[in-house]
Amino acid sequence: MSQTLQSVRGMNDILPDEAEFWEIFEETVRSWLKAYGYRPIRMPIVEPTPLFKRAIGEVTDIVEKEMYSFTDSLNGELLTLRPEGTAGCVRALIQHNLAAQHPRRLYYMGQMFRHERPQKGRYRQFHQVGVETFGFSGPDIDAELILMGARLWADLGLEGIQLQINSLGQPAERAEHRSALIAYFEQHLEKLDEDARRRLYTNPLRILDSKNPDLQALCAAAPKLIDYLGEESLAHFEGVQQILRDAGQPFTVNPRLVRGLDYYNLTVFEWVTDKLGAQGTVCAGGRYDGLVEQLGGKVTPACGFAMGIERLVALIRDSGGEPALAAPDVYLVHQGSAASRLAFRVAEGLRDQGINVLLHCGGGSFKSQMKKADACGAPFAIVIGDDEAATGEAQLKPLRAGAGEQRKLKVDDLAESIIGQLIDSETVGEQE
Ligand code: ATP
Ligand code: MG
């Protein structure tokens, strides 16, 4: 016997009970984005490998050890499953000259791939909602992006997600801080782990992003980038904070927040919960004014964020959220060949009227069909036997207690009666 095939480790199936949660989440996200004027963009899942190396930076966790890269066996091209969406979005922006006329507010949702050690909240295929803006240079858009997060948490019924912000300044300011950082870590060489030692002269800022608990005290005492910022960078940072304060949005300035990708400058931020264990960051982003030019486009200020859908859905589930049961309005029971032919017609006719119908398929006794009708959660069953079929009628049977008696109706009158009763039960629900 052949071995049963399994999904790739760290890449999960999302089964119907869970997927319904995802759909509700996605609907909430889409209407939230619309409320702020963001427009969708969809990029390929596979991009040329050099795109990510150039955008994310060679000396980063993602590029050094997390990318699924391969050579296209047909033409030798180096390709990578996208580990994040910003690089592809910027590539598309440049390729299609999207920011030429006016600034852009864009979003996308979809799979990302990183070869990490799978654990709760960390997978090898995961999903992000990414939000990117192009052509806005002031602190107002940074603040808008941050405050949007707060509204989404409220829309999703989530509480206790904390905001951390920092400023990474500009490249020249970072260069000065970098020298100070190298000098500091050189004095503590014996305490550095292998990763940190390797990065000491290539990307010392990344050491601050280390997840190694043994390095935390050392990193906490390291020179702070914020002390190296010039007037303009400080003014931008203050501008963001002012808008957050005006909006009554609490935040902490975390000088160690440096983000795991090289393209950021000025504002960076993360939304963090303590309810998901070690994988507590549900949303992260910042400004990346240099990236468009770095990838071959015209200088274009940019700012954005990405949120992890698995982590947010887990948070919604942990906080007791249940999706409204996606039950049909009607389960259609039928038996006998004339009845079955009529049932198909009735089902389509009801759907024309906007009624969701689960048409019984696969035969079986009335009794076994009625069991399925009861189990599916629909408020009504329609029952058609050959007697009913002969007169063009059907039994309409309420399935919920107190919803009235079974009635025989002309099939053409079913829709009106069902819609009437659905509306009645909704208004009753609202009064309760
Ligand atoms: P972390 O520090 O947790 O590794 P990151 O800085 O690598 O996160 P980003 O690249 O900023 O993450 O991605 C944005 C968001 O995407 C994260 O805040 C998280 O919610 C989610 N995310 C990142 N990597 C994974 C993963 N492997 N599995 C599930 N979600 C992830
Ligand atoms: Mg990571």
Side-chain angles (χ1 to χ4, degrees), residues 172-421:
E173 294 155 353
R174 278 224 289 278
E176 250 189 79
H177 170 250
R178 180 192 151 100
S179 309
L181 208 54
I182 293 175
Y184 169 80
F185 283 127
E186 275 175 338
Q187 287 167 7
H188 302 277
L189 267 186
E190 74 293 346
K191 292 188 196 146
L192 297 183
D193 62 12
E194 196 192 322
D195 259 353
R197 258 181 229 162
R198 194 163 37 81
R199 287 171 178 179
L200 181 54
Y201 299 104
T202 48
N203 201 343
L205 196 64
R206 280 284 81 77
I207 301 176
L208 299 180
D209 196 36
S210 166
K211 301 211 165 48
N212 182 350
D214 300 339
L215 288 186
Q216 301 308 306
L218 186 66
C219 291
K224 296 189 173 45
L225 180 47
I226 199 147
D227 296 330
Y228 292 78
L229 299 191
E231 230 170 86
E232 259 185 57
S233 295
L234 285 172
H236 187 101
F237 196 33
E238 179 48 37
V240 175
Q241 294 181 53
Q242 187 59 52
I243 300 173
L244 297 181
R245 282 193 291 266
D246 286 350
Q249 172 60 53
F251 61 86
T252 357
V253 175
N254 174 1
R256 281 196 48 204
L257 186 66
V258 295
R259 310 285 303 109
L261 305 87
D262 276 355
Y263 49 59
Y264 290 108
N265 69 313
L266 293 174
T267 318
V268 288
F269 59 93
E270 290 194 0
W271 289 95
V272 187
T273 171
D274 56 12
K275 293 184 189 138
L276 289 175
Q279 271 56 252
T281 304
V282 291
C283 176
R287 184 164 274 286
Y288 50 96
D289 293 329
L291 187 59
V292 180
E293 190 187 20
Q294 192 186 313
L295 293 180
K298 295 202 189 79
V299 179
T300 309
C303 192
F305 63 77
M307 39 196 204
I309 302 185
E310 281 79 0
R311 293 184 193 178
L312 282 167
V313 169
L315 204 54
I316 298 168
R317 300 205 87 160
D318 290 353
S319 51
E322 278 296 332
L325 191 64
D329 300 316
V330 171
Y331 194 95
L332 211 165
V333 169
H334 54 94
Q335 204 187 40
S337 62
S340 296
R341 291 170 68 189
L342 180 58
F344 258 89
R345 201 152 53 74
V346 168
E348 289 301 339
L350 293 175
R351 292 180 190 123
D352 286 343
Q353 305 291 317
I355 297 169
N356 297 329
V357 183
L358 221 166
L359 174 66
H360 179 82
C361 285
S365 66
F366 273 127
K367 195 171 161 205
S368 72
Q369 293 191 36
M370 281 309 300
K371 263 195 193 152
K372 295 205 166 81
D374 280 324
C376 82
F380 299 100
I382 291 173
V383 182
I384 307 179
D386 279 341
D387 287 353
E388 285 85 4
T391 55
E393 289 173 310
Q395 305 280 350
L396 179 63
K397 186 174 163 52
L399 297 175
R400 291 190 187 146
E405 292 298 300
Q406 176 167 331
R407 284 185 297 151
K408 200 182 218 181
L409 294 171
K410 284 280 176 205
V411 293
D412 289 342
D413 298 334
L414 282 168
E416 197 182 331
S417 176
I418 291 169
I419 290 168
Q421 292 187 57

Side-chain angles (χ1 to χ4, degrees), residues 66 114 116 122 211:
E66 295 175 0
R114 297 184 192 176
E116 304 196 66
R122 195 175 289 285
K211 301 211 165 48

Side-chain angles (χ1 to χ4, degrees), residues 104-150:
R104 294 278 181 173
R105 287 175 162 92
L106 303 174
Y107 77 89
Y108 47 84
M109 292 191 210
Q111 285 93 335
M112 305 294 160
F113 301 84
R114 297 184 192 176
H115 198 109
E116 304 196 66
R117 191 171 66 78
Q119 51 197 293
K120 185 173 190 283
R122 195 175 289 285
Y123 309 99
R124 290 181 175 174
Q125 175 184 265
F126 63 99
H127 298 71
Q128 287 183 339
V129 177
V131 179
E132 318 283 0
T133 68
F134 298 98
F136 301 98
S137 58
D140 48 358
I141 198 80
D142 309 30
E144 172 177 293
L145 287 162
I146 293 171
L147 291 171
M148 281 171 77

